[in-house]
């Protein structure tokens, strides 16, 4: 993979270096450096001696990986089945996709053009199996062979194409086995016995005798519809109109299956290689194209990083990522229909709120079976599938025993006029003094020791004695004392954990 | 429909204090500045429970979590509100909270909407409140706006209340009793202003019970609360006696429990 270069003639050769075996060595080099007789793995000191004006930079594998992922996203324009190979390879499974791009050769040319626009120099090849395509791309100048001649071409590949460890490749060459054809003629059991079964497997795959499909980066969507534009579209209105058409297609596909979508993904492929994804989740399965478009429009207006058409978008994809069966809606008699209407109105409200504020900000309350007050009741995204435990029944005649709001971290309060085993007469919180008029407690809540030990804490958290207190003005607090008075080494501390109504 | 707390059962039927809230309107609640604002959420949740049945939308300006803690599911259940019937939306700013509230106010499937705002929210102006009023009228659901650390300014709301926690009636062994709220009607478009109610929330029957009602002079409102509760609603309103027959939003208490 080569970095983009400005292309001026007097630019020095450029290499990327990384520390290996105690010295900085060349990890990647550009064609100019290759022409200066530099090579991979050469020590930087040696390279500098050969080429004094050498330009170097440190190898950044993380940045490379990000770059490769961006390139993979661009390739998803051609097929949803894209995966990475090593640190610098992409494999696309274009089964059933080529006809959309006027054939395999045209697809290959388009894909290479898209990657070149990202500033990548590419080698590419098409073959019947992923491993054969990979081997051709790396060790052969052929890009596309008539299927009948593919095995013959594969037999001509050097043994290096097997990508085995250096000593294996060396041993094969020393034995006079230079091409895959030489290996293929030997009984495979002998090869497996000498060099391992892995070598035989990869050989079979490159020769096209064994076909293993790739595992795509993202699971392919249940249903998707694509639209490619010959000239990139810059106007958002036009783009949304195209998207609405795709939505119509997707919805009719869903209808034919008797299904509805709960999760949708829109992918905008920009001509310069930028890829933007929008995800829409809904509270109920639906197949209403107009409603989906409203949610998408809402989502677009609230994007923190707006959708910038730049040089235009050249492809669009609408995919259903989460489908559910959806029966034809039955029209009930009067009462049922009203309830249905309200339910749908509610689902619609949730969808719009989620589209506008994000999935994590629209929440519902769930009960959890635990005694830890911090964990007993939580909020989860409204659309998450988490189910709620049942709430304990309320004891009649009691006031609420748990506060309406809870501080994530209990707030330290200054307790004044303490009395053993009862709440303080006065306490100070946020610089205000509260006279305790009424109090109830303690309710001792011991930490869940079986959890604290897993967490690996040095000593289990202290026991908490909770009190419900009301001050002279009628404000009600949930406070606790951490630690016991009997324990003379540490003075117990008081905290305010929540506020009652 | 109207929302009406229950009078104390043993109270003298002729002197039964009462108040009603229009169900399809916007109601504002203030607590003045300071810590006493923390009981608002509970008081307003209780009032919302008198509204139409159905899920409640709780819109919360996220700054409140820092001040008052985060909504606590177990506490909500203990308060007598079904947590499964609440949709919680937390927004980073006031504008977002108003947008979410407006979406909710337009939704027929909801029971009521609560919008909790923190601080002097400039985005909540006459126009914003007017929008909420129109949406509430069209959909028939009540919108309850709680304003914490804020001073009132002109709005289109139907009523404006001051709400504080009040000392509860102690249970055995001096335990804090049922939540008691001190509600003062600062402004209303229909009816009499300056009435102050003590209402108790009974979680078992999920109802508010009025304990007492006091008329206080307008001049006292400011002194007592330290906030300017008299900023006008968008148009002049005449103060009217509380039980004038035929007034919208005011009905005899007997009708509700007959």
């Amino acid at each position: 993979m080569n970095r983009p270069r400005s292309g001026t003639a007097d630019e020095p050769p450029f290499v990327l270096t990384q520390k290996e075996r105690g010295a900085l060595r060349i990890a990647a080099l550009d064609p100019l450096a290759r022409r200066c007789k530099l090579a991979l793995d050469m020590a930087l000191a040696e390279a500098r001696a050969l080429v004094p004006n050498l330009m170097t930079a440190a190898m950044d594998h993380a940045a490379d990986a990000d770059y490769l992922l961006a390139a993979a996203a661009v390739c998803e324009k051609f097929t949803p089945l894209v995966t990475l190979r090593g640190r610098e390879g992409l494999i696309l499974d274009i089964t059933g996709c080529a006809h959309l791009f006027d054939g395999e050769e045209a697809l290959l040319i388009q894909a290479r053009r898209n990657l070149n626009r990202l500033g990548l120099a590419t080698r590419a090849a098409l073959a019947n199996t992923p491993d054969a395509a990979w081997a051709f791309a790396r060790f052969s100048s052929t890009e596309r062979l008539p299927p009948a001649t593919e095995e013959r071409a594969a037999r001509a590949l050097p043994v290096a194409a097997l990508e085995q460890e250096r000593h294996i490749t060396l041993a094969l060459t020393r034995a006079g086995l230079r091409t895959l054809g030489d290996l293929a003629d030997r009984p495979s059991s002998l090869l497996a016995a000498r060099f391992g079964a892995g070598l035989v497997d990869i050989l079979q795959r490159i020769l096209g005798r064994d076909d293993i499909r790739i595992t795509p980066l993202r699971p392919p969507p249940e249903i998707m519809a694509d639209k490619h534009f010959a000239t990139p579209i810059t106007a958002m209105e036009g783009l949304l109109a195209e998207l609405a058409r795709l939505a119509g297609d997707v919805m009719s596909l869903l209808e034919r299956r008797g299904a509805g979508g709960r999760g949708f993904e829109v992918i905008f492929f920009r001509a310069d290689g930028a890829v933007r994804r929008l995800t829409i989740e809904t509270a109920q399965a639906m197949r209403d194209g107009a409603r989906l478009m409203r949610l998408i429009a809402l989502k677009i207006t609230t994007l923190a990083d707006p959708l910038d058409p730049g040089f235009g978008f050249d492809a669009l994809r609408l995919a259903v990522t989460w489908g559910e069966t959806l029966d034809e809606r039955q029209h009930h008699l009067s009462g049922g229909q009203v309830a249905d209407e309200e339910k749908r109105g509610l689902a619609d409200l949730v969808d719009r709120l989620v589209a506008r504020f994000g999935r994590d900000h629209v929440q519902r309350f769930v009960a959890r079976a635990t005694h830890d007050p911090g964990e007993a009741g939580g909020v989860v995204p409204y659309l998450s599938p988490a189910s709620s435990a049942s709430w304990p029944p309320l004891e009649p005649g009691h006031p609420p025993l748990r506060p309406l709001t809870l501080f994530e971290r209990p707030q330290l309060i200054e307790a004044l006029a303490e009395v053993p085993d009862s709440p303080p007469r006065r306490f100070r919180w946020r610089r205000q003094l509260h006279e305790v008029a009424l109090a109830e407690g303690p309710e001792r809540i011991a930490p869940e020791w079986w959890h604290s030990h897993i967490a690996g804490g040095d000593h289990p958290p202290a026991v908490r004695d909770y009190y419900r207190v009301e001050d002279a003005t009628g404000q009600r607090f949930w406070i606790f004392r951490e630690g016991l008075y009997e324990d003379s080494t540490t003075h117990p501390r008081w905290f305010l954990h929540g506020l009652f109504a | 429909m109207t929302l009406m707390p229950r009078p104390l059962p043993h109270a003298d039927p002729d002197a039964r204090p009462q108040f009603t809230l229009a169900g399809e309107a916007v109601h504002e609640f203030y607590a003045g500045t300071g810590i006493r604002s923390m009981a608002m959420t509970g008081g307003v949740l209780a009032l919302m429970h008198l509204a139409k049945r159905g899920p409640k939308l709780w819109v919360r300006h996220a700054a409140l979590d820092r001040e008052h803690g985060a909504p606590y599911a177990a506490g909500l259940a203990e308060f007598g509100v079904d947590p499964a019937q609440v949709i919680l939306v937390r927004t980073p700013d006031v504008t977002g909270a108003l947008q979410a509230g407006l979406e909710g106010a337009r939704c027929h499937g909801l029971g009521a909407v609560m919008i909790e705002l923190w601080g002097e929210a400039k985005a909540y102006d006459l126009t914003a409140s007017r929008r909420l009023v129109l949406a509430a009228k069209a959909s028939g659901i009540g919108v309850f706006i709680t304003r914490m650390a804020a001073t009132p300014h002109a709005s289109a709301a139907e009523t404006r209340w001051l709400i504080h926690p009040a000392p509860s009636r102690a249970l055995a062994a001096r335990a804090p009793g049922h939540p008691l709220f001190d509600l003062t009607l600062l402004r209303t478009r229909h009816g009499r202003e300056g009435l102050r109610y003590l209402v108790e929330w009974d979680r078992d029957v999920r109802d508010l019970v009025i304990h007492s009602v006091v008329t206080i002079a307008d001049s006292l409102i400011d002194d007592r609360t330290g906030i300017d509760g008299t900023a006008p609603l968008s148009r002049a309103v005449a103060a009217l006696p509380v039980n004038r027959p035929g007034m919208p939003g005011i009905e005899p208490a007997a009708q509700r429990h007959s």
Side-chain angles (χ1 to χ4, degrees):
Chain A
M1 196 191 291
N2 284 333
R3 301 256 148 206
R5 293 170 60 94
S6 59
T8 47
D10 53 350
E11 217 172 282
F14 178 63
V15 297
L16 293 175
T17 59
Q18 69 179 353
K19 197 156 185 174
E20 215 177 298
R21 299 194 305 278
L24 277 179
R25 288 173 196 277
I26 295 177
L29 66 172
D30 71 352
L32 200 55
R34 206 180 287 273
R35 248 176 279 142
C36 297
K37 299 220 159 35
L38 302 187
L40 274 183
D41 237 14
M42 184 185 269
L44 181 61
E46 193 183 336
R48 278 210 192 284
L50 286 170
V51 185
N53 65 339
L54 187 66
M55 199 159 77
T56 67
M59 188 78 185
D60 183 350
H61 288 300
D64 267 5
D66 289 348
Y67 204 58
L68 192 61
L69 279 176
V74 171
C75 290
E76 279 186 34
K77 201 188 292 183
F78 303 103
T79 165
L81 305 174
V82 175
T83 192
L84 310 183
R85 175 89 184 229
R87 280 180 181 163
E88 46 191 21
L90 293 175
I91 296 190
L92 280 61
D93 186 340
I94 57 164
T95 312
C97 299
H99 67 282
L100 300 170
F101 301 88
D102 302 326
E104 295 180 346
E105 286 84 357
L107 191 154
L108 188 69
I109 292 167
Q110 277 194 49
R112 290 193 65 169
R113 196 179 298 148
N114 271 280
L115 292 174
N116 291 347
R117 246 180 253 147
L118 281 181
L120 292 169
T122 53
R123 293 172 62 95
L126 275 162
N128 284 333
T129 67
D131 295 274
W134 180 247
F136 284 131
R138 291 184 38 106
F139 296 95
S140 155
S141 56
T142 33
E143 282 201 342
R144 173 79 193 119
L145 301 147
T149 64
E150 200 175 295
E151 187 171 344
R152 207 171 63 210
R155 291 174 68 92
L157 288 170
V159 287
L162 294 172
E163 298 193 314
Q164 297 295 308
E165 281 170 48
R166 192 188 293 243
H167 70 270
I168 294 184
T169 313
L170 202 64
L172 288 169
T173 339
R174 284 203 182 130
L177 303 168
R178 295 187 184 280
T179 65
L180 298 193
D182 297 340
L183 286 179
D185 295 338
R186 303 273 179 280
S188 55
S189 56
L190 287 184
L191 287 175
R194 171 68 180 83
F195 299 106
L199 182 119
V200 177
D201 288 347
I202 192 96
L203 179 66
Q204 299 292 349
R205 283 188 223 150
I206 294 178
L207 293 175
R209 293 174 189 165
D210 185 14
D211 190 3
I212 289 190
R213 299 281 105 188
I214 59 169
T215 309
L217 283 176
R218 288 169 221 283
E222 300 190 15
I223 290 178
M224 61 176 219
D226 284 14
K227 179 79 188 170
H228 295 261
F229 312 118
T231 48
I233 293 190
T234 47
M236 279 313 283
E237 297 77 40
L239 199 68
L240 289 179
E242 290 291 349
L243 195 55
R245 228 161 287 156
L246 285 183
D249 294 350
V250 165
M251 295 306 171
S252 59
L253 278 171
L254 282 172
E255 189 163 9
R256 222 172 294 157
R257 292 192 187 183
R262 284 202 57 186
F264 297 88
E265 187 176 43
V266 190
I267 311 181
F268 298 91
F269 295 97
R270 214 164 70 177
D272 63 355
V275 178
R276 281 296 290 270
R277 295 163 190 278
L278 296 184
T279 51
I280 306 275
E281 271 186 59
T282 62
Q284 280 185 338
M286 63 116 161
R287 49 167 182 254
D288 177 350
R291 193 172 140 204
L292 179 65
M293 286 310 296
R294 280 199 300 277
L295 292 175
I296 291 171
L298 193 61
K299 185 103 187 177
I300 288 176
T301 56
T302 54
L303 284 176
D305 177 15
L307 204 60
D308 173 21
F311 298 106
F313 295 97
D314 64 355
L316 266 181
R317 169 172 300 158
L318 177 64
V320 181
T321 51
W322 178 9
E324 274 180 5
T325 53
L326 177 66
D327 297 328
E328 279 306 322
R329 214 172 282 281
Q330 304 254 329
H331 284 283
H332 298 284
L333 297 172
S334 55
Q337 201 174 343
V338 171
D340 217 32
E341 194 80 28
E342 290 199 341
K343 218 171 143 193
R344 221 176 320 158
L346 201 64
D348 199 42
L349 170 71
V350 169
D351 294 347
R352 273 177 289 142
L353 290 172
V354 168
R356 196 188 282 267
F357 298 103
R359 187 178 189 272
D360 294 345
H361 291 99
V362 182
Q363 301 164 321
R364 61 191 170 85
F365 294 97
V366 290
R368 300 199 185 100
T370 170
H371 292 293
D372 185 341
E375 299 289 324
V379 289
V380 295
Y382 195 89
L383 295 179
S384 82
S387 61
S388 178
S390 62
W391 297 99
L394 301 179
E395 252 183 82
H398 275 281
L401 299 178
R402 288 286 180 268
L404 210 48
T405 55
L406 199 71
F407 287 100
E408 198 187 348
R409 304 179 69 86
Q411 311 236 319
L412 192 64
I413 53 176
E414 185 191 345
L416 304 163
E418 291 176 70
V419 187
D421 285 324
S422 58
R425 296 253 170 79
R426 277 184 293 281
F427 67 90
R428 198 187 296 278
W429 178 51
R430 289 183 179 166
R431 293 198 301 267
Q432 274 200 336
L433 196 63
H434 298 275
E435 292 279 345
V436 174
L438 303 175
E440 186 185 49
E443 181 185 0
R444 180 158 296 183
I445 301 180
E448 293 181 339
W449 50 268
W450 56 94
H451 282 159
S452 59
H453 278 257
I454 294 166
D458 290 342
H459 42 82
V463 166
R464 293 173 172 184
D465 277 347
Y466 277 90
Y467 292 88
R468 243 165 22 92
V469 300
E470 182 177 301
D471 77 359
T473 63
Q475 297 175 81
R476 290 166 277 269
F477 307 90
W478 206 36
I479 63 173
F480 69 85
R481 185 188 60 226
E482 193 179 70
L484 306 169
Y485 278 104
E486 300 91 71
D487 186 358
S488 56
T489 50
T490 50
H491 192 72
R493 292 188 302 168
W494 286 87
F495 291 90
L496 190 152
H497 202 168
L499 304 175
F500 287 96
Chain B
M1 80 168 268
T2 53
L3 324 177
M4 199 190 309
R6 184 162 54 110
L8 269 187
H10 47 76
D12 172 9
D14 294 329
R16 272 200 301 215
Q18 57 167 303
F19 72 88
T20 61
L21 287 176
E24 315 84 3
V26 175
H27 305 285
E28 280 179 10
F29 297 83
Y30 285 83
T33 49
I35 189 154
R36 273 160 67 89
S37 60
M38 67 192 188
M40 289 180 95
T41 305
V44 175
L45 276 175
L47 282 169
M48 276 168 82
H49 236 270
L50 307 178
K52 198 178 126 194
R53 289 179 67 85
K56 312 287 189 281
L57 179 68
W58 180 351
V59 181
R60 194 169 165 91
H61 183 187
L64 273 163
D65 288 0
R66 198 182 56 231
E67 300 294 330
H68 291 176
Y72 181 41
L76 206 60
E78 279 277 332
F79 192 69
V81 174
D82 181 4
Q85 287 285 302
V86 180
I87 305 170
L88 178 67
V89 180
R90 274 186 252 212
T91 67
D93 53 24
V94 174
T95 319
L98 291 171
Q99 277 173 348
L102 191 60
E103 293 272 9
R106 288 179 180 146
C107 176
H108 294 273
L110 284 180
V113 176
M114 171 160 70
I115 308 173
E116 290 188 295
L117 304 178
W118 172 261
E120 298 292 346
K122 290 230 163 46
Y124 180 65
D125 55 11
L126 196 56
T127 319
S129 63
R130 184 87 194 123
R131 263 192 215 122
L132 286 167
V133 167
L134 292 175
K137 277 221 178 84
S139 62
I141 64 172
V143 177
F144 298 76
I145 300 173
T146 70
R147 310 245 4 237
M148 304 177 195
T151 49
H153 49 76
S155 89
E158 174 75 22
T159 61
R160 177 180 298 152
W161 297 83
L162 186 71
I163 180 167
H164 281 159
S168 63
R169 294 182 301 147
L171 303 175
R174 300 200 58 71
H178 298 283
L180 203 67
F181 303 102
D182 179 343
L183 283 161
T184 307
L185 187 53
L186 297 174
R187 284 280 168 196
T188 174
R189 290 179 182 283
H190 307 100
R192 188 164 150 195
E193 296 167 354
L195 288 176
R196 182 179 169 196
Y197 305 87
L198 275 180
V199 293
E200 188 177 68
W201 170 248
D202 183 343
R203 72 168 192 187
D204 295 336
V205 292
R206 295 183 168 77
D207 211 346
L208 280 169
V209 182
I210 298 184
H211 273 247
S212 72
V213 59
V214 189
T215 314
I216 49 173
D218 280 358
S219 58
L220 286 177
I221 294 178
D222 289 358
D223 298 344
R224 207 172 60 82
T225 64
I227 66 169
D228 173 21
T230 53
L233 295 175
S234 63
R235 61 185 171 80
V237 286
L240 291 164
V242 69
N243 265 341
R244 210 176 106 183
M247 279 298 300
I250 306 265
E251 287 170 25
Q255 281 189 6
R256 188 158 179 262
H257 288 279
S258 58

